[in-house]
Amino acid sequence: MPIYLYILRRVLFAIPVLLGITLVAFVISNAVPADPMLANLGQRSISNPTIVENFRREWGLDQPAPVQYVVYLSNLLRGNLGMSIKSRRPVLEDLQAYFPATIELATSSIVLALVVGVGAGVISAVWRNHPIDFVARFISLIGVSAPVFWLAIIFLVIFYSRLGWAPGPGRLDVRLSPPPYYTGFYTIDSALAGQWNTFWNAVGHLVLPSLVLASYSTGVITRVTRSAMLEVLSQDYVRTARSKGLRERAVILTHAFSNARLPIVTIIGLSYSTLLTGAVLTETIFAWPGIGRYVFRASTSLDFPAIMGSSLVIAFVFVVMNLLVDVLYYLLDPRIRAA
Amino acid sequence: MRKIVSFLMFTLMLLTLVSVSLAQDEQVLVYGIAENTDSLDPARGYTPQEGTVNHATYETLVTWPPSDNTEVLPMLAESWTISEDGLTYTFTLRSDVTFHDGSPMVASDVVFSFLRLKYVGGNPSFLAESIASVEAPDDTTVVITLSQADPAILAKLASAPFSVVSEAIVTANGGTAAEDAAETDAAEAFLNSTSAGTGPYVLESWEQSVTTVLVRNENYWGEAPFFDRIIFQNIPEAASQAAALQVGDIDIAADITADQIESLTANGDVVIEQVATPTIMFLLFNQDESIGGPVSNPDVQRAIRYAIDYESILALTGGSGVQPPSVIPVGFAGALPNEEVIVRDVEMARSLLAEAGYADGFTIDLQYPEFTLQGVAIGDVAQVVQANLAEVGITVNLAPGELLAELDLYRNGQEGLGLWWWSPDFQDAVSNLEFLPARTVGNRVNWTDENSDAEIQEVRDQAFAETDAAARAELVQQAQRYLQENGPFAPLAQVGRQIGLRADITGFTFNPQWDVDVIQLAR
Amino acid sequence: MRNLFRWLVRNPFTLMGVIVVLLWTVGAITAHWIAPYDPLAQNVSNRLQAPNAEHIWGTDQLGRDIYSRVLYGGRISLPAGLIAVFFATVIGSLIGATAGYAGGLWDELLMRLTEIFMAFPTIILAMAISAALGPSIVNAMIALVVVSWPSYARIMRGLVISEKVHEYVVASHAMGASHLRILLRAILPNCLSSIIVVATLDFGNAILLFAGLSFLGLGPEPASPEWGRMVSTGIDFFDQWWMSIFPGLAMFTVVMAFNFIGDGIRDLADPHTAKR
C-alpha cells in the first residue's frame, strides 16, 4: 500500500474516535450533580431571574442535552469551541495562549528523556550486569516510581530555594516581559527577536520542570531500550556481524540499534500521554501557565466549555501523535509495508 | 564563511548588550501576593488587593495619613464644609488634576463616579447608600446630600470604591451612572483592562489570578513616583512567596507566615514588617434552615462559639494576631474590652447542643475557599475547627472550593456553615456593623429584618445614625454583646500580617485601607 | 510454596519488593497499635517540629505526628490503588473478552470505544470525572477505573482471539457447550495469568495516579492522612522538608516495590525475558 493511502486510511479511522471524544467529554460534563450556575454566575445575579435566564440561554443550558450536543458540534465545525465561563474569553483563544507553554515544556522534556533514556538504555544493554548497568537500571526505576509532584517539590526546594542554582516557578522572571509573539514558545520567540537575556532566562526556567517531567519517560525509555537492545544483541545476525570481525561500535550502532528502533518509537508515542499527565502536576507546582493548569482550574470551577475544548484539543494532538508514530513505524518496518 | 559567523556573533553580542541595558534602565517593583481580586472596576471590585492596586491608579476626594486612620486629609478635594444638620457636604476640588489621558478632572467626573457606584449594583455599592444626591454647581464644587446623617461618610469617601473616574472615558466604553446602571453599565471589562483615573500609575494589564501590571502615568499632576513599573504577581502559597523573596525574584511578599520570619531574615537580604490588621476571620451560620440546617439554631451557634479552641487558631495565625471579643476589630473605637473574649468551654457547648436537641451531634459540611489569607492557610484553620467540633459531637466534612467560585456562593448566601474573613471597607467600627441583620454580611447568612429580633434592629439603626462618637461606641458595644449571645457568626481571629521586603526597598508604609502604599516605595 | 520461596531468593529485587509491600501493609493494618499517636490528633502548640525523639518524622502544621499519619495513610493509598486496579481488570477483561469472542460489529464498536477513552490523557479524564462527581476517595477510585479499563480490554481481546482458535474451544463448541460456558470455563482461565501480570505491573501506576488526584485536591478530604494530600500540604512549607519528604518516600518505596514485583512476575510468566 502506498504511504499516502495508508495515511488517508488512518486519518479516516481517527474521525469517529474524535467524534467519540466530544461525546464522552459532553456526557461527563452533563452527568454532573453539581450546578455550573452556582459555580459561575456572578454575585447578586443568581437571585435575578432575567440574568439566570440569559445565562441559561447563552450557554444553551435551557435546551435538552442532545440538542446541546448538536449545537456544540456544529459550533465546533465552524472552529468555535465556545466561551470559557471562567475566563470569559473564547476557549480557542485561551488554548492558543496556554498550549505553547505546554508544548515547549513537553518538547524539552521528551528531548531530554530521549537523549538520556536511549543513551542509558543502550549503554546498560551493552554493558549488561556491569555496575554501569545496575546504576542505569536503578535510576530508571527511580524515574518510574517517584511521584512527579514529589520530585517537583524536592527539586524546587533544593535547586531553587536552598542552592539558588536554577530559576523558580513561571516561564520567565517576573521582571522580564514576554518576548513578542511569533510562535508562543518563549525560547524561539526571544531568539527571533534577538532578546538573548530573555532567551537564557526562558531556558533557565525550563530546566527544573523539564527534568521533573522527563523523569518518568526517561525511566520507561531506558527500560524499553535496554530490553529491545538485549533482544537484538542476542540475535543470530548480530553474532554473525561480530564473528565477521566488525568493530563492536559498528555492530551496536548499525546492526543492533537500527533494529531496536521499533519498540523505542512505540514507547515514545505512548510517553506522550504520560507526559501530559505529568504536565498537569508539574505545571501546578511550577506555576507554568500551560494547558494542564488551565484544565485543572477549569475542572475545579466546572467550566465545561473549557474542559471540553481542551480535552478535545489534547485528544486531537494525541491522535495525531499516534498517527505519526504509526507512519514512522510503517516507514521503519518493511513487514508492515508488505502486509 | 568564517567572516559571516563572526559578524553574526558580533551582532548577537551587541543585541544582547542592548537588551540587557534596556532591561536595567527601567525600575521595576515586583509585588508577590496571594491574589483574590474579583474586579478592578472601582465601583465593582471589593477586595483588599483591589484597594492596593486602585490606590495607585485612582484617587479619592479625601484620604488618610500614610500609616493610620486618625484624621481625614484632603486629596482631590482641597477643602470641605459640613452643614449644621450633617446632611450636606460641600467639597472644593483642586483645579490642577488631570486624568491619565491629560484631560482635566472636574466636578462632573466626581458626580458620575459616585452615582455610578451607587447605581451599578456592585459589591461596594452599599457604601453609597446614604447618599441622596451628588451635584456639581461648577467645575470645582461638589455637593453631596445625604438621606440621613452618616458619621462615617468621610471615611467612606477615602476608600477605593469612591475613586474618581473619567466620565468621558468610561462613558465612551460602555459605562453609565443612570439609575438602571446595574443592567446597562458595560464598562467593567474596559476598567479591568486599563484604568481611567488620576493616580500616578496606569493599569497596563490584568490577567486574573496571574499578574497585574502598572506603569507610571506620564501625565501625573503630582509628584512622580519612583518605580516605572509595578508588577503584582499572584503567588498563592506563602512558601513560594518566601522562596521568591529570598532569591530576589520579588521585592515584596505580602503573605509571609510568622513561621518563616526566622529563616528569611537570617542573612540580612530581607526585612519583615509586622503589622496589625483589622481583618477578622469568622465562621458563619446560615439563618435559613433549608441551607444552614442545624447551625441555623441559635443554641447551636452559641455552642459552636464555645467549642472553638481560639488559642490553637491564634497559634496558627501567629505574629501580631489577636482574638477579637466580637466582630469589631481590637483597636477600633467601640471594640469590646479584651477581657470579654469568648473562652473555650466544651461542657457549656455540649449542654447547649443538648438543649437544642442535638445531644448526639450532627454532620455538616464546612465550606471555605482554598486560600492563604495574610500567610494563614484557611484550610488549616478549617481543620482546627473540624477537630474542635468533633469534640462536642459535631462531624464536620471539609468542603473547600476554588476561591472565586466559593466567593460567589458566600456572597449569595448559599453557604450553610462557612469560614470567611472580613476587612472593614473604611476605618470605622460602623463598617463592621455589616454583620448585623439585613446588612452586607448579615444578608450573606440570610439574617434579615424578618427573622431577627427587634432589639438588634433597633441598636443597628441607632448606631448607623448616631453622630456622637461616645454614644456610637456604646451602641456598637451593645450590638457586639448581643452577637456574642445570639449572632450567626463566630469570630475566630483578628489576623496579623507579616510583609517581607528586600532590604533595599525603602518607603514602606502600611494603611489598612490600601495595605502597602506602592506609590511611596523606592529602591 | 517452597518453590515460590526459592524463586524469590533467586530474585533479590522481587524479594525486596515483596518485603517492602509487606512492611507497609502490616504497618497500615496494625497502625492502630504501632503508631505512636492518633493521626488526626492536633497539638497546635507543638507544630512544625523537626524530626526528634518524640516525633521521629516530625510534626505537621497542626502538630500532628507525621510518622503516625504516614502509617495510617497506607490504609487509604494501598487499598485505593488495589481496588481500582481490580475493578478495572474485571470490567476491562469482560468487555475485551466479549469483544474478542464475539467479533464482528460488537468487537468493532467496543474497540472504537476503548480508543476513544485511550485518546484522553489519563489525568485529564480522571480530573474531569472526579471534579464532576465531587472530590472523595470513592470518586477518585471511580475515575481511576474509568481511565484504566480500556487497556485491559484491549489486552484481553487479543488473548481471547488467539485462544479461541485452539482445538479445545472448537471441540467444546462442537459438543454443544454454550458460548457463555466456553468463554467463562474454557477461555478465560487460560488468559488469567497474563492479565494478572499486567495488573501487577499497573498497581504502581494506579497508586501514583490516585496520589496525583488527591495531590490536586480531588481525592480524600483535607484532614485525612492520605500520602498525596500530605505531600501537597508540605508544598506550603519549604523550610519544613519533613512534611513532604516522608509521605512521598512512602509512596515512592511502595510504587518501586510493586514495580519490582511486577517485573518478577513478568519474568516468571515469560521465562524468555528472565534469562536476560
Side-chain angles (χ1 to χ4, degrees), chain A residues 222-260:
Chain A
T222 308
R223 282 157 67 107
V224 170
T225 308
R226 179 176 179 274
S227 61
M229 282 296 286
L230 284 178
E231 171 110 39
V232 175
L233 283 173
S234 65
Q235 300 283 329
D236 290 344
Y237 63 92
V238 174
R239 282 195 209 124
T240 320
R242 273 188 182 141
S243 63
K244 278 197 302 194
L246 278 181
R247 276 191 307 163
E248 187 64 20
R249 213 166 84 188
V251 172
I252 291 164
L253 290 182
T254 55
H255 286 79
F257 184 61
S258 63
N259 280 293

mmCIF file of all heavy atoms in Angstrom, chain A residues 222-260:
data_model
loop_
_atom_site.group_PDB
_atom_site.id
_atom_site.type_symbol
_atom_site.label_atom_id
_atom_site.label_comp_id
_atom_site.label_asym_id
_atom_site.label_seq_id
_atom_site.Cartn_x
_atom_site.Cartn_y
_atom_site.Cartn_z
ATOM 1 N N THR A 222 14.468 4.148 29.038
ATOM 2 C CA THR A 222 15.664 3.381 29.367
ATOM 3 C C THR A 222 15.349 1.897 29.431
ATOM 4 O O THR A 222 16.043 1.059 28.857
ATOM 5 C CB THR A 222 16.233 3.827 30.729
ATOM 6 O OG1 THR A 222 16.387 5.238 30.725
ATOM 7 C CG2 THR A 222 17.572 3.174 31.000
ATOM 8 N N ARG A 223 14.278 1.564 30.133
ATOM 9 C CA ARG A 223 13.925 0.152 30.309
ATOM 10 C C ARG A 223 13.602 -0.516 28.981
ATOM 11 O O ARG A 223 14.068 -1.620 28.705
ATOM 12 C CB ARG A 223 12.745 0.021 31.275
ATOM 13 C CG ARG A 223 13.175 0.186 32.724
ATOM 14 C CD ARG A 223 12.024 0.612 33.604
ATOM 15 N NE ARG A 223 10.999 -0.412 33.740
ATOM 16 C CZ ARG A 223 10.806 -1.120 34.841
ATOM 17 N NH1 ARG A 223 11.566 -0.938 35.877
ATOM 18 N NH2 ARG A 223 9.843 -1.995 34.916
ATOM 19 N N VAL A 224 12.798 0.176 28.163
ATOM 20 C CA VAL A 224 12.407 -0.430 26.892
ATOM 21 C C VAL A 224 13.615 -0.556 25.968
ATOM 22 O O VAL A 224 13.822 -1.601 25.330
ATOM 23 C CB VAL A 224 11.300 0.410 26.224
ATOM 24 C CG1 VAL A 224 11.061 -0.074 24.802
ATOM 25 C CG2 VAL A 224 10.033 0.323 27.037
ATOM 26 N N THR A 225 14.417 0.521 25.912
ATOM 27 C CA THR A 225 15.593 0.466 25.043
ATOM 28 C C THR A 225 16.503 -0.683 25.459
ATOM 29 O O THR A 225 16.998 -1.441 24.631
ATOM 30 C CB THR A 225 16.375 1.787 25.127
ATOM 31 O OG1 THR A 225 15.486 2.858 24.884
ATOM 32 C CG2 THR A 225 17.494 1.815 24.107
ATOM 33 N N ARG A 226 16.695 -0.830 26.745
ATOM 34 C CA ARG A 226 17.596 -1.862 27.230
ATOM 35 C C ARG A 226 17.115 -3.245 26.796
ATOM 36 O O ARG A 226 17.872 -4.032 26.240
ATOM 37 C CB ARG A 226 17.689 -1.797 28.752
ATOM 38 C CG ARG A 226 18.604 -2.856 29.337
ATOM 39 C CD ARG A 226 18.745 -2.699 30.834
ATOM 40 N NE ARG A 226 19.615 -3.733 31.364
ATOM 41 C CZ ARG A 226 19.205 -4.940 31.708
ATOM 42 N NH1 ARG A 226 17.929 -5.256 31.577
ATOM 43 N NH2 ARG A 226 20.050 -5.829 32.169
ATOM 44 N N SER A 227 15.821 -3.510 27.018
ATOM 45 C CA SER A 227 15.384 -4.875 26.710
ATOM 46 C C SER A 227 15.311 -5.093 25.198
ATOM 47 O O SER A 227 15.607 -6.188 24.717
ATOM 48 C CB SER A 227 14.056 -5.199 27.397
ATOM 49 O OG SER A 227 13.057 -4.341 26.954
ATOM 50 N N ALA A 228 14.982 -4.019 24.432
ATOM 51 C CA ALA A 228 14.965 -4.170 22.977
ATOM 52 C C ALA A 228 16.374 -4.453 22.467
ATOM 53 O O ALA A 228 16.588 -5.321 21.607
ATOM 54 C CB ALA A 228 14.406 -2.908 22.325
ATOM 55 N N MET A 229 17.340 -3.732 23.013
ATOM 56 C CA MET A 229 18.721 -3.937 22.602
ATOM 57 C C MET A 229 19.190 -5.338 22.963
ATOM 58 O O MET A 229 19.856 -5.999 22.173
ATOM 59 C CB MET A 229 19.640 -2.902 23.281
ATOM 60 C CG MET A 229 19.607 -1.530 22.663
ATOM 61 S SD MET A 229 20.213 -1.499 20.973
ATOM 62 C CE MET A 229 21.969 -1.685 21.243
ATOM 63 N N LEU A 230 18.823 -5.797 24.153
ATOM 64 C CA LEU A 230 19.246 -7.128 24.574
ATOM 65 C C LEU A 230 18.694 -8.184 23.629
ATOM 66 O O LEU A 230 19.373 -9.116 23.230
ATOM 67 C CB LEU A 230 18.780 -7.407 26.002
ATOM 68 C CG LEU A 230 19.592 -6.715 27.092
ATOM 69 C CD1 LEU A 230 19.022 -7.032 28.458
ATOM 70 C CD2 LEU A 230 21.047 -7.148 27.013
ATOM 71 N N GLU A 231 17.431 -7.991 23.293
ATOM 72 C CA GLU A 231 16.780 -8.918 22.377
ATOM 73 C C GLU A 231 17.548 -9.001 21.062
ATOM 74 O O GLU A 231 17.861 -10.076 20.561
ATOM 75 C CB GLU A 231 15.344 -8.419 22.136
ATOM 76 C CG GLU A 231 14.601 -9.138 21.050
ATOM 77 C CD GLU A 231 13.482 -9.996 21.620
ATOM 78 O OE1 GLU A 231 12.844 -9.524 22.561
ATOM 79 O OE2 GLU A 231 13.276 -11.113 21.122
ATOM 80 N N VAL A 232 17.851 -7.817 20.529
ATOM 81 C CA VAL A 232 18.515 -7.772 19.232
ATOM 82 C C VAL A 232 19.936 -8.314 19.319
ATOM 83 O O VAL A 232 20.387 -9.055 18.459
ATOM 84 C CB VAL A 232 18.517 -6.316 18.695
ATOM 85 C CG1 VAL A 232 19.300 -6.244 17.403
ATOM 86 C CG2 VAL A 232 17.101 -5.856 18.480
ATOM 87 N N LEU A 233 20.617 -7.930 20.416
ATOM 88 C CA LEU A 233 22.019 -8.336 20.547
ATOM 89 C C LEU A 233 22.176 -9.857 20.596
ATOM 90 O O LEU A 233 23.230 -10.387 20.273
ATOM 91 C CB LEU A 233 22.641 -7.716 21.801
ATOM 92 C CG LEU A 233 23.010 -6.231 21.691
ATOM 93 C CD1 LEU A 233 23.461 -5.706 23.037
ATOM 94 C CD2 LEU A 233 24.092 -6.025 20.651
ATOM 95 N N SER A 234 21.102 -10.543 21.016
ATOM 96 C CA SER A 234 21.226 -11.999 21.103
ATOM 97 C C SER A 234 20.842 -12.680 19.785
ATOM 98 O O SER A 234 20.885 -13.893 19.675
ATOM 99 C CB SER A 234 20.325 -12.508 22.230
ATOM 100 O OG SER A 234 18.983 -12.250 21.882
ATOM 101 N N GLN A 235 20.440 -11.868 18.796
ATOM 102 C CA GLN A 235 20.027 -12.465 17.517
ATOM 103 C C GLN A 235 21.236 -12.985 16.739
ATOM 104 O O GLN A 235 22.355 -12.510 16.890
ATOM 105 C CB GLN A 235 19.302 -11.407 16.662
ATOM 106 C CG GLN A 235 18.060 -10.827 17.309
ATOM 107 C CD GLN A 235 16.877 -11.769 17.241
ATOM 108 O OE1 GLN A 235 16.755 -12.544 16.294
ATOM 109 N NE2 GLN A 235 16.014 -11.730 18.237
ATOM 110 N N ASP A 236 20.912 -13.891 15.841
ATOM 111 C CA ASP A 236 21.983 -14.529 15.084
ATOM 112 C C ASP A 236 22.781 -13.553 14.226
ATOM 113 O O ASP A 236 24.000 -13.605 14.169
ATOM 114 C CB ASP A 236 21.391 -15.615 14.170
ATOM 115 C CG ASP A 236 20.905 -16.773 15.031
ATOM 116 O OD1 ASP A 236 21.323 -16.818 16.199
ATOM 117 O OD2 ASP A 236 20.118 -17.593 14.519
ATOM 118 N N TYR A 237 22.019 -12.629 13.564
ATOM 119 C CA TYR A 237 22.756 -11.790 12.609
ATOM 120 C C TYR A 237 23.743 -10.861 13.300
ATOM 121 O O TYR A 237 24.751 -10.479 12.745
ATOM 122 C CB TYR A 237 21.815 -11.006 11.687
ATOM 123 C CG TYR A 237 20.934 -10.011 12.379
ATOM 124 C CD1 TYR A 237 21.349 -8.691 12.514
ATOM 125 C CD2 TYR A 237 19.685 -10.378 12.869
ATOM 126 C CE1 TYR A 237 20.526 -7.776 13.133
ATOM 127 C CE2 TYR A 237 18.880 -9.468 13.498
ATOM 128 C CZ TYR A 237 19.293 -8.172 13.622
ATOM 129 O OH TYR A 237 18.491 -7.267 14.252
ATOM 130 N N VAL A 238 23.458 -10.526 14.552
ATOM 131 C CA VAL A 238 24.417 -9.705 15.273
ATOM 132 C C VAL A 238 25.651 -10.540 15.590
ATOM 133 O O VAL A 238 26.786 -10.088 15.428
ATOM 134 C CB VAL A 238 23.796 -9.133 16.554
ATOM 135 C CG1 VAL A 238 24.854 -8.407 17.369
ATOM 136 C CG2 VAL A 238 22.657 -8.211 16.208
ATOM 137 N N ARG A 239 25.376 -11.779 15.980
ATOM 138 C CA ARG A 239 26.511 -12.659 16.247
ATOM 139 C C ARG A 239 27.354 -12.825 14.987
ATOM 140 O O ARG A 239 28.568 -12.769 15.012
ATOM 141 C CB ARG A 239 26.030 -14.029 16.720
ATOM 142 C CG ARG A 239 25.621 -13.991 18.161
ATOM 143 C CD ARG A 239 25.492 -15.379 18.737
ATOM 144 N NE ARG A 239 24.493 -15.331 19.796
ATOM 145 C CZ ARG A 239 23.405 -16.102 19.827
ATOM 146 N NH1 ARG A 239 23.218 -17.004 18.892
ATOM 147 N NH2 ARG A 239 22.557 -15.975 20.801
ATOM 148 N N THR A 240 26.639 -12.987 13.852
ATOM 149 C CA THR A 240 27.353 -13.141 12.583
ATOM 150 C C THR A 240 28.205 -11.913 12.312
ATOM 151 O O THR A 240 29.383 -12.008 11.971
ATOM 152 C CB THR A 240 26.344 -13.298 11.423
ATOM 153 O OG1 THR A 240 25.286 -14.118 11.860
ATOM 154 C CG2 THR A 240 27.021 -13.874 10.197
ATOM 155 N N ALA A 241 27.577 -10.742 12.486
ATOM 156 C CA ALA A 241 28.302 -9.496 12.236
ATOM 157 C C ALA A 241 29.552 -9.449 13.085
ATOM 158 O O ALA A 241 30.626 -9.082 12.624
ATOM 159 C CB ALA A 241 27.402 -8.305 12.530
ATOM 160 N N ARG A 242 29.379 -9.856 14.351
ATOM 161 C CA ARG A 242 30.529 -9.830 15.249
ATOM 162 C C ARG A 242 31.608 -10.794 14.764
ATOM 163 O O ARG A 242 32.772 -10.461 14.713
ATOM 164 C CB ARG A 242 30.104 -10.225 16.648
ATOM 165 C CG ARG A 242 29.622 -9.045 17.448
ATOM 166 C CD ARG A 242 29.401 -9.470 18.875
ATOM 167 N NE ARG A 242 28.890 -8.358 19.652
ATOM 168 C CZ ARG A 242 27.957 -8.495 20.580
ATOM 169 N NH1 ARG A 242 27.442 -9.673 20.829
ATOM 170 N NH2 ARG A 242 27.553 -7.437 21.250
ATOM 171 N N SER A 243 31.147 -11.988 14.395
ATOM 172 C CA SER A 243 32.127 -13.003 14.029
ATOM 173 C C SER A 243 32.841 -12.625 12.746
ATOM 174 O O SER A 243 33.938 -13.067 12.476
ATOM 175 C CB SER A 243 31.447 -14.363 13.878
ATOM 176 O OG SER A 243 30.512 -14.279 12.827
ATOM 177 N N LYS A 244 32.168 -11.756 11.925
ATOM 178 C CA LYS A 244 32.830 -11.308 10.715
ATOM 179 C C LYS A 244 33.949 -10.325 11.034
ATOM 180 O O LYS A 244 34.646 -9.849 10.152
ATOM 181 C CB LYS A 244 31.814 -10.635 9.780
ATOM 182 C CG LYS A 244 31.027 -11.634 8.958
ATOM 183 C CD LYS A 244 30.344 -11.000 7.761
ATOM 184 C CE LYS A 244 29.403 -9.880 8.190
ATOM 185 N NZ LYS A 244 28.488 -9.469 7.128
ATOM 186 N N GLY A 245 34.058 -9.987 12.324
ATOM 187 C CA GLY A 245 35.158 -9.130 12.745
ATOM 188 C C GLY A 245 34.816 -7.654 12.678
ATOM 189 O O GLY A 245 35.695 -6.806 12.740
ATOM 190 N N LEU A 246 33.500 -7.323 12.583
ATOM 191 C CA LEU A 246 33.126 -5.908 12.607
ATOM 192 C C LEU A 246 33.442 -5.321 13.985
ATOM 193 O O LEU A 246 33.355 -6.023 14.985
ATOM 194 C CB LEU A 246 31.627 -5.759 12.336
ATOM 195 C CG LEU A 246 31.212 -5.792 10.871
ATOM 196 C CD1 LEU A 246 29.720 -5.620 10.774
ATOM 197 C CD2 LEU A 246 31.934 -4.715 10.082
ATOM 198 N N ARG A 247 33.797 -4.035 13.965
ATOM 199 C CA ARG A 247 34.095 -3.422 15.245
ATOM 200 C C ARG A 247 32.826 -3.348 16.094
ATOM 201 O O ARG A 247 31.730 -3.149 15.577
ATOM 202 C CB ARG A 247 34.656 -2.017 15.036
ATOM 203 C CG ARG A 247 36.161 -2.060 14.753
ATOM 204 C CD ARG A 247 36.712 -0.665 14.827
ATOM 205 N NE ARG A 247 35.952 0.220 13.951
ATOM 206 C CZ ARG A 247 35.982 1.536 14.041
ATOM 207 N NH1 ARG A 247 36.707 2.105 14.974
ATOM 208 N NH2 ARG A 247 35.307 2.294 13.218
ATOM 209 N N GLU A 248 33.001 -3.494 17.388
ATOM 210 C CA GLU A 248 31.874 -3.554 18.304
ATOM 211 C C GLU A 248 30.950 -2.339 18.139
ATOM 212 O O GLU A 248 29.734 -2.462 18.123
ATOM 213 C CB GLU A 248 32.390 -3.632 19.748
ATOM 214 C CG GLU A 248 31.329 -3.862 20.801
ATOM 215 C CD GLU A 248 30.629 -5.225 20.661
ATOM 216 O OE1 GLU A 248 31.180 -6.124 20.014
ATOM 217 O OE2 GLU A 248 29.510 -5.365 21.201
ATOM 218 N N ARG A 249 31.547 -1.132 17.984
ATOM 219 C CA ARG A 249 30.733 0.068 17.877
ATOM 220 C C ARG A 249 29.836 0.001 16.646
ATOM 221 O O ARG A 249 28.660 0.337 16.683
ATOM 222 C CB ARG A 249 31.623 1.307 17.821
ATOM 223 C CG ARG A 249 30.955 2.485 18.480
ATOM 224 C CD ARG A 249 31.929 3.598 18.732
ATOM 225 N NE ARG A 249 32.076 4.407 17.543
ATOM 226 C CZ ARG A 249 32.990 5.372 17.426
ATOM 227 N NH1 ARG A 249 33.842 5.597 18.401
ATOM 228 N NH2 ARG A 249 33.047 6.101 16.343
ATOM 229 N N ALA A 250 30.431 -0.461 15.561
ATOM 230 C CA ALA A 250 29.669 -0.565 14.320
ATOM 231 C C ALA A 250 28.540 -1.574 14.483
ATOM 232 O O ALA A 250 27.408 -1.347 14.055
ATOM 233 C CB ALA A 250 30.587 -0.986 13.180
ATOM 234 N N VAL A 251 28.835 -2.669 15.162
ATOM 235 C CA VAL A 251 27.809 -3.688 15.370
ATOM 236 C C VAL A 251 26.633 -3.094 16.126
ATOM 237 O O VAL A 251 25.467 -3.213 15.740
ATOM 238 C CB VAL A 251 28.385 -4.887 16.156
ATOM 239 C CG1 VAL A 251 27.275 -5.846 16.535
ATOM 240 C CG2 VAL A 251 29.449 -5.593 15.341
ATOM 241 N N ILE A 252 26.976 -2.406 17.204
ATOM 242 C CA ILE A 252 25.907 -1.880 18.053
ATOM 243 C C ILE A 252 25.100 -0.815 17.327
ATOM 244 O O ILE A 252 23.873 -0.847 17.311
ATOM 245 C CB ILE A 252 26.502 -1.318 19.359
ATOM 246 C CG1 ILE A 252 27.028 -2.468 20.198
ATOM 247 C CG2 ILE A 252 25.474 -0.532 20.133
ATOM 248 C CD1 ILE A 252 27.958 -2.034 21.284
ATOM 249 N N LEU A 253 25.813 0.105 16.696
ATOM 250 C CA LEU A 253 25.088 1.228 16.102
ATOM 251 C C LEU A 253 24.338 0.841 14.839
ATOM 252 O O LEU A 253 23.156 1.151 14.700
ATOM 253 C CB LEU A 253 26.049 2.391 15.814
ATOM 254 C CG LEU A 253 26.544 3.072 17.086
ATOM 255 C CD1 LEU A 253 27.442 4.245 16.733
ATOM 256 C CD2 LEU A 253 25.378 3.534 17.947
ATOM 257 N N THR A 254 24.995 0.152 13.927
ATOM 258 C CA THR A 254 24.312 -0.099 12.668
ATOM 259 C C THR A 254 23.388 -1.299 12.748
ATOM 260 O O THR A 254 22.212 -1.194 12.406
ATOM 261 C CB THR A 254 25.310 -0.336 11.521
ATOM 262 O OG1 THR A 254 26.196 -1.399 11.914
ATOM 263 C CG2 THR A 254 26.104 0.914 11.221
ATOM 264 N N HIS A 255 23.859 -2.371 13.264
ATOM 265 C CA HIS A 255 23.021 -3.561 13.238
ATOM 266 C C HIS A 255 22.009 -3.613 14.363
ATOM 267 O O HIS A 255 20.817 -3.711 14.123
ATOM 268 C CB HIS A 255 23.890 -4.822 13.275
ATOM 269 C CG HIS A 255 24.557 -5.080 11.977
ATOM 270 N ND1 HIS A 255 25.693 -4.390 11.581
ATOM 271 C CD2 HIS A 255 24.239 -5.911 10.963
ATOM 272 C CE1 HIS A 255 26.040 -4.811 10.378
ATOM 273 N NE2 HIS A 255 25.176 -5.739 9.972
ATOM 274 N N ALA A 256 22.527 -3.519 15.552
ATOM 275 C CA ALA A 256 21.628 -3.736 16.690
ATOM 276 C C ALA A 256 20.645 -2.581 16.855
ATOM 277 O O ALA A 256 19.432 -2.774 16.849
ATOM 278 C CB ALA A 256 22.447 -3.921 17.959
ATOM 279 N N PHE A 257 21.175 -1.361 16.929
ATOM 280 C CA PHE A 257 20.298 -0.250 17.275
ATOM 281 C C PHE A 257 19.228 -0.024 16.216
ATOM 282 O O PHE A 257 18.075 0.246 16.532
ATOM 283 C CB PHE A 257 21.127 1.016 17.489
ATOM 284 C CG PHE A 257 20.293 2.163 17.940
ATOM 285 C CD1 PHE A 257 19.595 2.076 19.134
ATOM 286 C CD2 PHE A 257 20.179 3.309 17.181
ATOM 287 C CE1 PHE A 257 18.807 3.117 19.559
ATOM 288 C CE2 PHE A 257 19.388 4.348 17.606
ATOM 289 C CZ PHE A 257 18.702 4.255 18.792
ATOM 290 N N SER A 258 19.614 -0.177 14.957
ATOM 291 C CA SER A 258 18.627 0.102 13.916
ATOM 292 C C SER A 258 17.466 -0.879 14.013
ATOM 293 O O SER A 258 16.354 -0.562 13.623
ATOM 294 C CB SER A 258 19.278 0.058 12.535
ATOM 295 O OG SER A 258 19.754 -1.247 12.304
ATOM 296 N N ASN A 259 17.701 -2.035 14.570
ATOM 297 C CA ASN A 259 16.594 -2.980 14.712
ATOM 298 C C ASN A 259 15.831 -2.813 16.015
ATOM 299 O O ASN A 259 14.737 -3.319 16.169
ATOM 300 C CB ASN A 259 17.106 -4.408 14.600
ATOM 301 C CG ASN A 259 17.303 -4.773 13.154
ATOM 302 O OD1 ASN A 259 16.347 -4.877 12.401
ATOM 303 N ND2 ASN A 259 18.555 -4.894 12.753
ATOM 304 N N ALA A 260 16.456 -2.103 16.935
ATOM 305 C CA ALA A 260 15.771 -1.888 18.202
ATOM 306 C C ALA A 260 14.915 -0.624 18.149
ATOM 307 O O ALA A 260 14.255 -0.278 19.112
ATOM 308 C CB ALA A 260 16.794 -1.781 19.334
#
